[in-house]
Amino acid sequence: ENFLQKTSAPFSTNSYDAFISPNTLNLSSFTKLMKKLQEIHPEASRDKIVDALLEVRKNNKGILSGLSISSIVERTSVIL
């Protein structure tokens, strides 16, 4: 009867294997974020942008949730 309480979350919030868990930033937000960063930094490769986003996440206690897209763009731009 308590089996629902015992199920674990499918994604770990501190997993470094997954870039961003679906709970913290959905795919359309990620797509918008990447598009905006590629427009601002056309010289940066996609990999370099992703690395900068990972750095922002690391500097924010390992999560991006709670940050606005504009704040993430700003912090990522500083790194790039």
Side-chain angles (χ1 to χ4, degrees):
E1 59 188 273
N2 292 332
F3 75 96
L4 289 176
Q5 294 172 341
K6 294 179 183 174
T7 57
S8 62
F11 294 97
S12 169
T13 54
N14 60 0
S15 168
Y16 292 99
D17 297 332
F19 172 56
I20 298 172
S21 93
N23 306 2
T24 53
L25 190 66
N26 67 34
L27 192 56
S28 72
S29 293
F30 176 75
T31 303
K32 282 188 233 173
L33 190 55
M34 287 301 294
K35 185 176 181 213
K36 185 170 276 207
L37 286 165
Q38 287 170 328
E39 287 170 2
I40 297 170
H41 303 282
E43 78 290 350
S45 69
R46 181 177 172 85
D47 285 348
K48 188 168 179 161
I49 292 171
V50 169
D51 286 345
L53 283 167
L54 287 169
E55 178 89 8
V56 170
R57 184 178 77 171
K58 187 178 86 177
N59 294 341
N60 194 52
K61 301 175 188 161
I63 56 171
L64 289 176
S65 74
L67 295 175
S68 66
I69 291 206
S70 61
S71 176
I72 295 170
V73 167
E74 192 176 299
R75 292 176 188 206
T76 305
S77 293
V78 168
I79 293 167
L80 290 170

